[in-house]
Short mmCIF file of all heavy atoms in Angstrom, two decimals:
data_model
loop_
_atom_site.label_atom_id
_atom_site.label_comp_id
_atom_site.label_asym_id
_atom_site.label_seq_id
_atom_site.Cartn_x
_atom_site.Cartn_y
_atom_site.Cartn_z
N ASN A 694 -90.61 109.63 129.90
CA ASN A 694 -89.86 109.07 131.03
C ASN A 694 -88.55 109.77 131.21
O ASN A 694 -87.82 110.00 130.25
CB ASN A 694 -89.65 107.58 130.80
CG ASN A 694 -90.93 106.76 130.80
OD1 ASN A 694 -91.71 106.86 131.74
ND2 ASN A 694 -91.18 106.05 129.65
N ALA A 695 -88.19 110.06 132.48
CA ALA A 695 -86.90 110.63 132.79
C ALA A 695 -85.85 109.50 132.93
O ALA A 695 -86.18 108.34 133.20
CB ALA A 695 -86.95 111.36 134.07
N LYS A 696 -84.59 109.86 132.74
CA LYS A 696 -83.52 108.91 132.96
C LYS A 696 -83.49 108.59 134.48
O LYS A 696 -83.56 109.50 135.29
CB LYS A 696 -82.18 109.55 132.57
CG LYS A 696 -80.95 108.63 132.81
CD LYS A 696 -79.71 109.34 132.41
CE LYS A 696 -78.46 108.47 132.72
NZ LYS A 696 -77.20 109.17 132.33
N PRO A 697 -83.47 107.28 134.84
CA PRO A 697 -83.46 106.95 136.22
C PRO A 697 -82.28 107.64 137.01
O PRO A 697 -81.21 107.83 136.43
CB PRO A 697 -83.27 105.41 136.23
CG PRO A 697 -83.78 105.01 134.88
CD PRO A 697 -83.45 106.09 133.91
N LYS A 698 -82.61 108.00 138.28
CA LYS A 698 -81.60 108.72 139.07
C LYS A 698 -81.26 107.81 140.25
O LYS A 698 -82.11 107.44 141.05
CB LYS A 698 -82.06 110.05 139.50
CG LYS A 698 -81.03 110.86 140.33
CD LYS A 698 -81.45 112.24 140.67
CE LYS A 698 -80.43 113.03 141.42
NZ LYS A 698 -79.17 113.20 140.60
N LYS A 699 -79.98 107.57 140.47
CA LYS A 699 -79.47 106.81 141.62
C LYS A 699 -79.08 107.75 142.73
O LYS A 699 -78.25 108.68 142.51
CB LYS A 699 -78.28 105.93 141.22
CG LYS A 699 -77.74 105.07 142.28
CD LYS A 699 -76.58 104.20 141.76
CE LYS A 699 -76.00 103.34 142.80
NZ LYS A 699 -74.85 102.49 142.42
N VAL A 700 -79.63 107.58 143.92
CA VAL A 700 -79.26 108.37 145.07
C VAL A 700 -78.59 107.43 146.03
O VAL A 700 -79.22 106.43 146.52
CB VAL A 700 -80.54 109.00 145.76
CG1 VAL A 700 -80.11 109.80 147.00
CG2 VAL A 700 -81.20 109.96 144.74
N GLU A 701 -77.35 107.69 146.30
CA GLU A 701 -76.53 106.81 147.17
C GLU A 701 -76.72 107.19 148.63
O GLU A 701 -76.65 108.34 149.00
CB GLU A 701 -75.05 106.89 146.79
CG GLU A 701 -74.19 105.87 147.45
CD GLU A 701 -72.76 105.90 146.90
OE1 GLU A 701 -72.46 106.67 145.99
OE2 GLU A 701 -71.91 105.12 147.42
N TRP A 702 -77.04 106.14 149.47
CA TRP A 702 -77.17 106.37 150.87
C TRP A 702 -75.82 106.17 151.53
O TRP A 702 -75.16 105.14 151.37
CB TRP A 702 -78.18 105.36 151.40
CG TRP A 702 -78.44 105.45 152.88
CD1 TRP A 702 -79.27 106.30 153.50
CD2 TRP A 702 -77.90 104.56 153.90
NE1 TRP A 702 -79.25 106.02 154.88
CE2 TRP A 702 -78.44 104.96 155.11
CE3 TRP A 702 -77.00 103.48 153.84
CZ2 TRP A 702 -78.09 104.38 156.30
CZ3 TRP A 702 -76.69 102.88 155.09
CH2 TRP A 702 -77.21 103.30 156.27
N ILE A 703 -75.41 107.18 152.29
CA ILE A 703 -74.03 107.19 152.91
C ILE A 703 -74.19 107.01 154.42
O ILE A 703 -74.77 107.91 155.09
CB ILE A 703 -73.28 108.50 152.60
CG1 ILE A 703 -73.28 108.81 151.11
CG2 ILE A 703 -71.88 108.40 153.09
CD1 ILE A 703 -72.59 107.78 150.26
N PRO A 704 -73.68 105.92 154.98
CA PRO A 704 -73.72 105.75 156.46
C PRO A 704 -72.83 106.80 157.13
O PRO A 704 -71.76 107.21 156.54
CB PRO A 704 -73.23 104.32 156.69
CG PRO A 704 -72.42 104.02 155.46
CD PRO A 704 -73.03 104.78 154.34
N LEU A 705 -73.17 107.21 158.31
CA LEU A 705 -72.35 108.26 159.06
C LEU A 705 -71.04 107.52 159.50
O LEU A 705 -70.99 106.38 159.83
CB LEU A 705 -73.07 108.70 160.26
CG LEU A 705 -74.39 109.48 160.00
CD1 LEU A 705 -74.98 109.92 161.37
CD2 LEU A 705 -74.19 110.67 159.12
N PRO A 706 -69.96 108.30 159.49
CA PRO A 706 -68.71 107.78 160.01
C PRO A 706 -68.81 107.56 161.46
O PRO A 706 -69.56 108.25 162.20
CB PRO A 706 -67.66 108.86 159.68
CG PRO A 706 -68.47 110.12 159.50
CD PRO A 706 -69.84 109.71 158.98
N LYS A 707 -68.12 106.60 162.03
CA LYS A 707 -67.99 106.37 163.43
C LYS A 707 -66.56 106.50 163.85
O LYS A 707 -65.66 105.89 163.19
CB LYS A 707 -68.57 104.95 163.78
CG LYS A 707 -70.04 104.79 163.51
CD LYS A 707 -70.48 103.36 163.84
CE LYS A 707 -72.03 103.26 163.68
NZ LYS A 707 -72.53 103.66 162.42
N ILE A 708 -66.35 107.28 164.93
CA ILE A 708 -64.96 107.57 165.32
C ILE A 708 -64.73 107.12 166.76
O ILE A 708 -65.67 107.03 167.54
CB ILE A 708 -64.61 109.07 165.20
CG1 ILE A 708 -65.49 109.92 166.07
CG2 ILE A 708 -64.78 109.48 163.69
CD1 ILE A 708 -65.10 111.38 166.16
N THR A 709 -63.46 106.87 167.06
CA THR A 709 -63.05 106.61 168.42
C THR A 709 -61.76 107.44 168.71
O THR A 709 -61.02 107.79 167.83
CB THR A 709 -62.67 105.08 168.63
OG1 THR A 709 -61.69 104.71 167.62
CG2 THR A 709 -63.90 104.23 168.43
N ILE A 710 -61.58 107.78 170.04
CA ILE A 710 -60.51 108.56 170.36
C ILE A 710 -59.54 107.74 171.27
O ILE A 710 -59.95 107.07 172.25
CB ILE A 710 -60.95 109.83 171.21
CG1 ILE A 710 -61.88 110.66 170.37
CG2 ILE A 710 -59.78 110.65 171.71
CD1 ILE A 710 -62.54 111.89 171.10
N ALA A 711 -58.28 107.76 170.88
CA ALA A 711 -57.21 107.07 171.65
C ALA A 711 -56.34 108.08 172.33
O ALA A 711 -56.12 109.20 171.83
CB ALA A 711 -56.39 106.19 170.73
N GLN A 712 -55.85 107.72 173.53
CA GLN A 712 -54.98 108.60 174.35
C GLN A 712 -53.61 108.04 174.50
O GLN A 712 -53.44 106.84 174.67
CB GLN A 712 -55.63 108.77 175.73
CG GLN A 712 -54.77 109.62 176.71
CD GLN A 712 -55.45 109.76 178.05
OE1 GLN A 712 -56.62 110.11 178.13
NE2 GLN A 712 -54.70 109.43 179.14
N ASP A 713 -52.59 108.92 174.38
CA ASP A 713 -51.22 108.53 174.61
C ASP A 713 -50.58 109.56 175.46
O ASP A 713 -50.44 110.76 175.06
CB ASP A 713 -50.50 108.35 173.24
CG ASP A 713 -49.08 107.84 173.44
OD1 ASP A 713 -48.76 107.19 174.41
OD2 ASP A 713 -48.23 108.22 172.50
N PRO A 714 -50.07 109.21 176.63
CA PRO A 714 -50.02 107.87 177.22
C PRO A 714 -51.43 107.56 177.79
O PRO A 714 -52.25 108.43 178.01
CB PRO A 714 -49.03 107.96 178.43
CG PRO A 714 -49.07 109.42 178.74
CD PRO A 714 -49.32 110.16 177.52
N THR A 715 -51.67 106.23 178.01
CA THR A 715 -52.95 105.82 178.48
C THR A 715 -53.06 105.93 179.98
O THR A 715 -52.03 106.13 180.69
CB THR A 715 -53.22 104.34 178.09
OG1 THR A 715 -52.17 103.53 178.59
CG2 THR A 715 -53.27 104.23 176.55
N GLY A 716 -54.24 105.73 180.54
CA GLY A 716 -54.37 105.72 182.00
C GLY A 716 -54.36 107.10 182.55
O GLY A 716 -54.54 108.08 181.85
N ASN A 717 -54.25 107.14 183.90
CA ASN A 717 -54.26 108.48 184.60
C ASN A 717 -52.96 109.21 184.34
O ASN A 717 -51.86 108.66 184.22
CB ASN A 717 -54.42 108.22 186.11
CG ASN A 717 -55.77 107.68 186.45
OD1 ASN A 717 -56.77 107.88 185.72
ND2 ASN A 717 -55.92 107.02 187.58
N ILE A 718 -53.13 110.56 184.26
CA ILE A 718 -52.00 111.40 183.96
C ILE A 718 -51.78 112.26 185.20
O ILE A 718 -52.73 112.83 185.80
CB ILE A 718 -52.27 112.30 182.74
CG1 ILE A 718 -52.72 111.45 181.56
CG2 ILE A 718 -51.05 113.17 182.43
CD1 ILE A 718 -51.60 110.46 181.08
N CYS A 719 -50.48 112.43 185.60
CA CYS A 719 -50.17 113.23 186.76
C CYS A 719 -50.39 114.69 186.43
O CYS A 719 -50.08 115.18 185.28
CB CYS A 719 -48.76 113.02 187.24
SG CYS A 719 -48.51 111.35 187.85
N SER A 720 -50.87 115.42 187.41
CA SER A 720 -51.10 116.86 187.24
C SER A 720 -49.85 117.62 187.07
O SER A 720 -48.79 117.28 187.68
CB SER A 720 -51.89 117.39 188.48
OG SER A 720 -52.06 118.79 188.41
N GLY A 721 -49.90 118.70 186.25
CA GLY A 721 -48.79 119.60 186.09
C GLY A 721 -47.91 119.25 184.89
O GLY A 721 -48.36 119.48 183.74
N ASN A 722 -46.79 118.68 185.07
CA ASN A 722 -45.81 118.50 184.00
C ASN A 722 -46.24 117.27 183.23
O ASN A 722 -45.83 116.12 183.55
CB ASN A 722 -44.44 118.33 184.58
CG ASN A 722 -43.36 118.26 183.47
OD1 ASN A 722 -43.61 118.64 182.34
ND2 ASN A 722 -42.23 117.74 183.81
N ASN A 723 -47.10 117.41 182.19
CA ASN A 723 -47.54 116.29 181.40
C ASN A 723 -47.68 116.68 179.91
O ASN A 723 -47.70 117.89 179.61
CB ASN A 723 -48.88 115.75 181.87
CG ASN A 723 -49.95 116.85 182.05
OD1 ASN A 723 -50.21 117.57 181.11
ND2 ASN A 723 -50.58 116.90 183.27
N ASP A 724 -47.76 115.66 179.08
CA ASP A 724 -47.94 115.90 177.65
C ASP A 724 -48.81 114.75 177.12
O ASP A 724 -48.45 113.59 177.08
CB ASP A 724 -46.58 115.85 176.92
CG ASP A 724 -46.72 116.26 175.50
OD1 ASP A 724 -47.79 116.42 174.93
OD2 ASP A 724 -45.62 116.36 174.82
N VAL A 725 -50.06 115.11 176.75
CA VAL A 725 -51.11 114.13 176.37
C VAL A 725 -51.49 114.33 174.93
O VAL A 725 -51.80 115.47 174.50
CB VAL A 725 -52.31 114.23 177.32
CG1 VAL A 725 -53.31 113.15 176.91
CG2 VAL A 725 -51.97 114.10 178.77
N LYS A 726 -51.45 113.23 174.17
CA LYS A 726 -51.82 113.31 172.75
C LYS A 726 -53.08 112.50 172.53
O LYS A 726 -53.17 111.31 173.02
CB LYS A 726 -50.79 112.82 171.83
CG LYS A 726 -51.10 112.97 170.35
CD LYS A 726 -49.92 112.55 169.47
CE LYS A 726 -49.78 111.06 169.35
NZ LYS A 726 -48.76 110.68 168.39
N LEU A 727 -54.09 113.07 171.88
CA LEU A 727 -55.29 112.36 171.47
C LEU A 727 -55.30 112.21 169.96
O LEU A 727 -54.98 113.08 169.23
CB LEU A 727 -56.55 113.12 171.91
CG LEU A 727 -56.74 113.37 173.44
CD1 LEU A 727 -58.04 114.13 173.65
CD2 LEU A 727 -56.63 112.09 174.25
#
Side-chain angles (χ1 to χ4, degrees):
N694 296 305
K696 179 181 177 182
K698 182 175 182 63
K699 180 180 180 180
V700 178
E701 189 173 358
W702 179 80
I703 308 297
L705 297 181
K707 293 179 174 59
I708 63 172
T709 56
I710 300 175
Q712 175 181 308
D713 183 25
T715 59
N717 292 336
I718 307 298
C719 293
S720 174
N722 186 19
N723 53 52
D724 188 353
V725 181
K726 183 175 76 173
L727 301 181

